[in-house]
Amino acid sequence: MQPNYFDPFVLPFTLSMFALLTFLVFKYGSWIYRFGASDRKKVFKGFFSRNSWLAMKEIFMEGLLHRKIFKTNRRLGYMHMSLAFGWFLLIVVGAIEAHTFAKGSSPFYFPIFFRFFVPGTHESFFSDGFTQLMDLLLLFVLSGLFLAVLKRFKSVWVGQTKTSRKKPIDRVVLTSLWLIFPLRLLAESFTSGIHHSGGFLTGSLGTFFGVFLPINQLAYPAWWAYSLALGFFFIGLPFTRYMHIPTEMVLIFFRNWGIKLGVDNPVLMEVEINSCPKCGICIDTCQLSSMAGIHNTQSVYFIQKLRYHEDYNQVAESCLMCGRCEAVCPVAIDLNSIRLMHRADVSATREENFGFIPVQTRTADVIYFAGCMTHLTPTIKNSMVKILNASGDKYWFFDKEQGACCGRPLKLAGQLEAARELVERNRQMMMESGARMLVASCPICYKTFAEDYHLGMEVLHHSQYLERLMANKQISVEKLEVSAVYHDPCELGRGSGIYESPRAVVQNVAKLKSSVYQKENALCCGGSIAHLTLPLEKKKQIARETLRLLTVEHPQVIATGCPLCKKSFTGESGTKIMDIAELVAKALVAKPVREAAKQQKEPVYL
Amino acid sequence: MTMKTIAIIGAGPAGMEASGSLARLGYHVVLIEKEATVGGHLKNLFQLFPDRRPGKEILTHLVQTIKHPGIQIKVNSEVSEVQKLDNSFALKINEETMNADAVLVTTGFDLYDATEKEEYGYGIYPNVITSADLEQMFHNGKVVTEEGKTPKRVAFIHCVGSRDEKAGNNYCSKVCCVTAVKQAIEIKELLPETEVFCYYMDIRMFGPYYEELYREAQEKWGVMFIRGKLSEASQNMDGSILMKAEDTLAGKPLRMNTDLMVLMAGMVPSASSKKVAQQFKMEEGQNRFFKSADNHYRYNESQQMGVFIAGACVAPMNITDTIANARAAAVKIDEYLKN
Ligand SMILES: Cc1cc2nc3c(=O)[nH]c(=O)nc-3n(C[C@H](O)[C@H](O)[C@H](O)COP(=O)(O)OP(=O)(O)OC[C@H]3O[C@@H](n4cnc5c(N)ncnc54)[C@H](O)[C@@H]3O)c2cc1C
Ligand code: SF4
Ligand code: SF4
Ligand code: SF4
Ligand code: SF4
C-alpha cells in the first residue's frame, strides 16, 4: 500500500523548483544554442567524454569543498564549504534515507519533508543512524550559516575588510536563504517533540521547546514556513547572485569541454558573469582599493554592472589590468579579458597612419626590440646592447631609431584598427629578416609579440634570453656584492607566467632576497599603461606603498624586468631600482672575442 | 621686558636678510644652518640675472648684514626636536635646548633630481649636464665637453622637472627661463663660435629687464629658440648627444646633435623642508611647498601659530623677491611678538 505523501504546504517548494528548473533548462539551452558551431560541437563531443568526469571532480573540489577559497582564507572557506557541501550532503543522505524507507517510488519532494511525513521512529534499515546523521549535517550547515550572518555584520572577522554591496532583491533572497535552515530545524524539532522522536539535535530541541511552547500548534505552520523559504529562494535565485550556484557548475563543464573565452565568444563571458558569487575576494586584493582609496571599480562591481546592464564605461577604464584579482578569483573568471573586451573600440574616432615608419629589413639571427618604454629608460637599452655585443649573436636592433611600437598601447586604449595595421607592418619586416628569435625588453611588447604576432620564430623576454646566454656560456658574469629583491612585473608574471627566468638571472649576478609579494602575489607598480585615467598622485601612492612592502628585508637593489616598473618606482624609492639587464651588464666579464663577434666588429643595426 | 628670541632655520638669502632685519629691530636671532657655510644656493651662482653682477657681491652684502651682535650663527646645525610650549617653542639643537618666541623657516629649495628623467640621460651620458653644473663651469672659467673639447653646439632644455605632470610638478620654477637666457649669453661671450639653442615650451620673462635680456640673446648673440619639448636623448659614438624632439611651431619631429646638453632643472621643495614641516606640524600646499595662511594677505604666516615662512621654501622665487619676502616676514614677526 502506497501512503498518500501529499500536503498543500509542499506546493511553494515544488512549484518554485519546477519554475527554476524550467528557467535553467531554457537559459542554459539558449547559451548552448548561441555558441558558435565549433563550440556547440565541443559540447556534444565533450558530453560523453572523460572530461565530464574531470568536470564533476572539479565541481566537487571547487563548487562544494571550495578548495581555492580555503587557500586564501580558512574561515571563509569553511563558511562556503559547510553551506555548499553540507547542503549537498543533506540532500544526498536525505534521499538515501527516504528511499530506504519508501523502498522505491515516492514524490521528489518526499526526502525534503521526510520528517513531516514520517514523524515517529520507524523500523527501516539504519533508521536511527540516518536520524543522527541528518541532525549532524544540519548542524554543520547551521554553523556555516552562523559564520555567514557574522560576516554580514562584521566581515573583518572572516578575514575580509570589505564585503561587496548588495541589491534589494539580493537581500530578500538572502533572507530567505538564511531562514531555510533555521526553519527546517524548528519544523523538525517541533515534529520530533510531538512524537518523541528525532536525533540528538532535533529530538532534544523538540523536548525542550515542548516544555514551554505549544508545539502541537506550531509544527504545521513551521513546515509551511520552511517550504515558503525554499520557494522564495528558488524563485528569486535567477535574479540574484545565487544564480552562480548552478551556473558555476555549467561553467566548469563548458571549460572542461574546451570552450574558451574570446572576443568572438560573448556567450561564455555571459556564463562567467553569471558564475560570480560576489564573494568579494577580488576587492581586498586590488591595490586601487587598498592603496589608492578607489573603491568602486574592483572586478566584482564591474561584473555586476555587466550582469545588470548598467553603464560600465568608466569602471571598465579604471583598472590597472594587473591581474591580481584574476589570480585569486575562486571561479577563475577571465577578469582581465572581460574588462578589455568592454573598453570601447574607439578606432573610428581617430585616423592613424604609420606611413612615417620606414619599411626596412636586415638579415640577422636575433631581433632585439627595446620598445618605446625602454627608450625612455636608456640604461636598460644600453645594457642590452652591451650584452648583445658580448654574446656574439648576430642581431638586429629593430627599433634603434625608435620608429615602431608593438601596438599594445593602442589596443589597451581601444584603438583596435590602428593596432592591427601597426602589427602587420612590423610583422612583415620581422619575418623577412630570417631571424630565429625575437628578444623584447618590455614585458608588454613581449606578450604582444608572443600572442598577437604569430611570427613563427621564438619570442623571448630578455630575462629568458639572458638566462640562456649564461647557461650557454655565451657571456660570463661575476657575482656582484649586492642583495636584490626581484619585483615581478604584472605583464611578465601573472600576464605571461615568467617567474623563474628573471630569478635565475638575478641569482647569477647578485644575492636574491625573497619577498611575501612575489610571483602570483606580486604587487603592481602603479604605473600601468592600462589605466588611462588614474591621477598621477594615486599612481605614486601605489608605487610608494608597493616599495615599502617590497623593501622590508632591506635589499640594496630592487631588480625588475620592465622599463615601466622602473620608471614608476624611480623617484619614489630610496632603494636603487635596476633592470636585470643592468645588473647583468654590470656583472659582465670581458672574455676572448668569439668567432661570430670577430666578424661583426660593429653591432649590426640600422 | 626681556629680549625675545627668534629662531631662523636656513641661512640662504632669505634667512640671512631676515636675520639682519630682526636684529636691527632689537630681537635676539639664532640663525641655524645645516651646511658648513651660509649663503644657500647663492654660493653657487657665478653671475646673476638680469644685470649679470657677480653672485659674490650679493653674498658679501648679506654676510655683512648678519654681522650683528644680536645674531648668533650656528652652522653645521639642525633642529633635532621641537616642543610646543604655551607661547613659544623649545628647540633642541646639537644637544642644547633653546627657547624661541617665534620661528622663521627659510629652508629654501632643492634642484630637481634630473636623473629621474632617465630619458634625458643625465647621469648616464657625461655630456648631459644641469644648469647648476654649467654654473660651476663658469666659476672655473672653462666650458668643455667630457672629452675636453670646446663644444661646437650647446642646447638648453627648459622645464626639466617643472610644468611636468609626469614628474609630479605642475608648477613653473620661474627662474630657469631667464637663467637659460643668461647662461646662453655667457656661453656666447666665452665661445663666440658655438651655436646655442634653447628648447622651450613658453618663455617666461617675469621680472624687470628679463625681457630685455631675452631680446639681447636673440638680436645680439644669435641664440636660437625652438619651441618644443625634448622626448629623449641618446649618445652618439663620439660622445655627443642625439636629441629627439618635436618642433611644435613647425609641427614636425626633429633630431639634432649637440656636444653639450644643459638641463634647466627646476626647483623642488627641499628634502629638509619636509622634515621641518613634520617637526612643526606645518601644512604643505598642493605643490608640496609650504602652505601660507593666506595667499595674499598672510603670505609669510604658516598654518602654525608662531611659525613664519619666507623665501624659496614658500614658492619658487628669484633673489630680489626672496629678499623682499624676508623683510616682509620680519615685519610680521615684529607685529606678532609685540601683541
Ligand atoms: C640655476 C639657478 C640659477 C639662479 N640664478 C639666479 C639669479 O641669477 N638671480 C636671482 O635673483 N636668482 C637666481 N636663482 C634663484 C635663487 O637661487 C633663489 O632665489 C634663492 O637661492 C632663494 O633663497 P632661499 O634662502 O629662499 O633658499 P636657499 O638658497 O635654498 O637657501 C636655503 C638654506 O637653508 C638651509 N637649510 C635647508 N633646510 C635646513 C634645515 N632643516 N636646517 C638648517 N638649514 C637648512 C640650506 O642648507 C640653505 O643654506 C637661481 C636659481 C637656480 C636654481
Ligand atoms: S569576480 Fe571572482 S573574486 Fe570577484 S567576487 Fe566574483 S568570484 Fe569573487
Ligand atoms: S586587475 Fe588589478 S586593478 Fe584591475 S580590478 Fe583587478 S586587482 Fe584591481
Ligand atoms: S608595449 Fe610598450 S614599450 Fe612595448 S613598444 Fe609597445 S608601447 Fe612601447
Ligand atoms: S621658468 Fe621657464 S623653464 Fe622654468 S619652469 Fe617656468 S617655463 Fe619652464
Short mmCIF file of all heavy atoms in Angstrom, two decimals, chain B residues 143-163:
data_model
loop_
_atom_site.label_atom_id
_atom_site.label_comp_id
_atom_site.label_asym_id
_atom_site.label_seq_id
_atom_site.Cartn_x
_atom_site.Cartn_y
_atom_site.Cartn_z
N VAL B 143 84.35 76.17 -20.33
CA VAL B 143 83.23 75.30 -20.69
C VAL B 143 83.73 74.29 -21.72
O VAL B 143 84.05 74.65 -22.85
CB VAL B 143 82.05 76.12 -21.27
CG1 VAL B 143 80.96 75.19 -21.76
CG2 VAL B 143 81.51 77.07 -20.22
N VAL B 144 83.83 73.03 -21.29
CA VAL B 144 84.30 71.98 -22.21
C VAL B 144 83.42 70.75 -22.08
O VAL B 144 82.73 70.57 -21.08
CB VAL B 144 85.76 71.56 -21.90
CG1 VAL B 144 86.73 72.61 -22.35
CG2 VAL B 144 85.92 71.24 -20.43
N THR B 145 83.48 69.90 -23.09
CA THR B 145 82.75 68.64 -23.02
C THR B 145 83.54 67.67 -22.17
O THR B 145 84.68 67.94 -21.77
CB THR B 145 82.57 68.02 -24.42
OG1 THR B 145 83.87 67.69 -24.92
CG2 THR B 145 81.87 68.98 -25.36
N GLU B 146 82.94 66.52 -21.91
CA GLU B 146 83.59 65.47 -21.14
C GLU B 146 84.94 65.09 -21.76
O GLU B 146 85.90 64.80 -21.08
CB GLU B 146 82.66 64.24 -21.10
CG GLU B 146 83.24 62.99 -20.52
CD GLU B 146 83.36 63.06 -19.01
OE1 GLU B 146 82.84 64.05 -18.42
OE2 GLU B 146 83.99 62.16 -18.43
N GLU B 147 84.97 65.14 -23.11
CA GLU B 147 86.19 64.73 -23.81
C GLU B 147 87.22 65.85 -23.80
O GLU B 147 88.28 65.74 -24.41
CB GLU B 147 85.86 64.35 -25.26
CG GLU B 147 84.97 63.11 -25.40
CD GLU B 147 83.48 63.37 -25.09
OE1 GLU B 147 83.05 64.55 -25.15
OE2 GLU B 147 82.77 62.41 -24.76
N GLY B 148 86.89 66.97 -23.15
CA GLY B 148 87.83 68.09 -23.04
C GLY B 148 87.81 69.00 -24.25
O GLY B 148 88.70 69.84 -24.43
N LYS B 149 86.82 68.84 -25.12
CA LYS B 149 86.78 69.68 -26.32
C LYS B 149 85.88 70.89 -26.11
O LYS B 149 84.98 70.88 -25.27
CB LYS B 149 86.24 68.85 -27.48
CG LYS B 149 87.21 67.81 -27.97
CD LYS B 149 86.78 67.32 -29.35
CE LYS B 149 87.19 65.87 -29.55
NZ LYS B 149 86.11 64.99 -29.86
N THR B 150 86.10 71.90 -26.93
CA THR B 150 85.20 73.04 -26.92
C THR B 150 83.91 72.64 -27.64
O THR B 150 83.96 72.17 -28.77
CB THR B 150 85.84 74.21 -27.69
OG1 THR B 150 87.08 74.51 -27.07
CG2 THR B 150 84.95 75.43 -27.68
N PRO B 151 82.78 72.79 -27.00
CA PRO B 151 81.55 72.38 -27.68
C PRO B 151 81.24 73.29 -28.87
O PRO B 151 81.35 74.51 -28.77
CB PRO B 151 80.47 72.54 -26.59
CG PRO B 151 81.04 73.52 -25.63
CD PRO B 151 82.53 73.35 -25.66
N LYS B 152 80.87 72.66 -29.99
CA LYS B 152 80.51 73.47 -31.15
C LYS B 152 79.04 73.85 -31.07
O LYS B 152 78.59 74.76 -31.73
CB LYS B 152 80.75 72.67 -32.44
CG LYS B 152 82.20 72.41 -32.70
CD LYS B 152 82.42 72.21 -34.20
CE LYS B 152 83.88 71.88 -34.49
NZ LYS B 152 84.30 70.61 -33.81
N ARG B 153 78.33 73.06 -30.29
CA ARG B 153 76.91 73.35 -30.15
C ARG B 153 76.46 73.03 -28.72
O ARG B 153 76.88 72.01 -28.15
CB ARG B 153 76.12 72.50 -31.15
CG ARG B 153 74.68 72.89 -31.26
CD ARG B 153 73.95 71.99 -32.20
NE ARG B 153 74.03 72.43 -33.59
CZ ARG B 153 73.56 71.71 -34.61
NH1 ARG B 153 73.04 70.53 -34.40
NH2 ARG B 153 73.64 72.17 -35.85
N VAL B 154 75.65 73.90 -28.19
CA VAL B 154 75.11 73.68 -26.84
C VAL B 154 73.60 73.84 -26.92
O VAL B 154 73.10 74.76 -27.56
CB VAL B 154 75.70 74.71 -25.84
CG1 VAL B 154 75.08 74.51 -24.46
CG2 VAL B 154 77.21 74.60 -25.76
N ALA B 155 72.90 72.92 -26.28
CA ALA B 155 71.43 73.03 -26.27
C ALA B 155 70.93 73.10 -24.84
O ALA B 155 71.34 72.32 -23.98
CB ALA B 155 70.81 71.83 -26.98
N PHE B 156 70.08 74.07 -24.58
CA PHE B 156 69.45 74.19 -23.26
C PHE B 156 68.04 73.60 -23.34
O PHE B 156 67.31 73.87 -24.29
CB PHE B 156 69.33 75.66 -22.85
CG PHE B 156 70.65 76.29 -22.51
CD1 PHE B 156 71.44 76.88 -23.48
CD2 PHE B 156 71.11 76.27 -21.20
CE1 PHE B 156 72.66 77.46 -23.16
CE2 PHE B 156 72.33 76.84 -20.86
CZ PHE B 156 73.12 77.45 -21.84
N ILE B 157 67.69 72.82 -22.34
CA ILE B 157 66.35 72.25 -22.30
C ILE B 157 65.60 72.89 -21.14
O ILE B 157 65.97 72.71 -19.97
CB ILE B 157 66.39 70.71 -22.08
CG1 ILE B 157 67.38 70.05 -23.04
CG2 ILE B 157 65.00 70.12 -22.19
CD1 ILE B 157 67.00 70.16 -24.49
N HIS B 158 64.56 73.62 -21.45
CA HIS B 158 63.78 74.28 -20.40
C HIS B 158 62.85 73.29 -19.70
O HIS B 158 62.57 72.21 -20.21
CB HIS B 158 62.92 75.40 -21.01
CG HIS B 158 63.73 76.58 -21.48
ND1 HIS B 158 63.36 77.87 -21.23
CD2 HIS B 158 64.88 76.65 -22.17
CE1 HIS B 158 64.26 78.70 -21.76
NE2 HIS B 158 65.19 77.97 -22.35
N CYS B 159 62.33 73.72 -18.57
CA CYS B 159 61.26 72.98 -17.86
C CYS B 159 61.60 71.52 -17.57
O CYS B 159 60.77 70.63 -17.76
CB CYS B 159 59.94 73.00 -18.65
SG CYS B 159 59.28 74.62 -18.96
N VAL B 160 62.79 71.24 -17.07
CA VAL B 160 63.10 69.86 -16.70
C VAL B 160 62.62 69.62 -15.27
O VAL B 160 63.14 70.20 -14.32
CB VAL B 160 64.61 69.58 -16.84
CG1 VAL B 160 64.93 68.19 -16.30
CG2 VAL B 160 65.03 69.71 -18.28
N GLY B 161 61.59 68.83 -15.17
CA GLY B 161 61.01 68.57 -13.84
C GLY B 161 60.09 69.67 -13.36
O GLY B 161 59.62 69.64 -12.23
N SER B 162 59.83 70.66 -14.20
CA SER B 162 58.81 71.66 -13.86
C SER B 162 57.75 71.60 -14.94
O SER B 162 58.03 71.21 -16.07
CB SER B 162 59.37 73.09 -13.88
OG SER B 162 60.54 73.18 -13.12
N ARG B 163 56.56 72.02 -14.62
CA ARG B 163 55.44 72.01 -15.55
C ARG B 163 55.36 70.65 -16.23
O ARG B 163 55.13 70.54 -17.44
CB ARG B 163 55.63 73.10 -16.62
CG ARG B 163 55.86 74.47 -16.02
CD ARG B 163 56.11 75.50 -17.07
NE ARG B 163 54.92 75.70 -17.87
CZ ARG B 163 54.93 76.23 -19.09
NH1 ARG B 163 56.07 76.59 -19.64
NH2 ARG B 163 53.82 76.39 -19.74
#
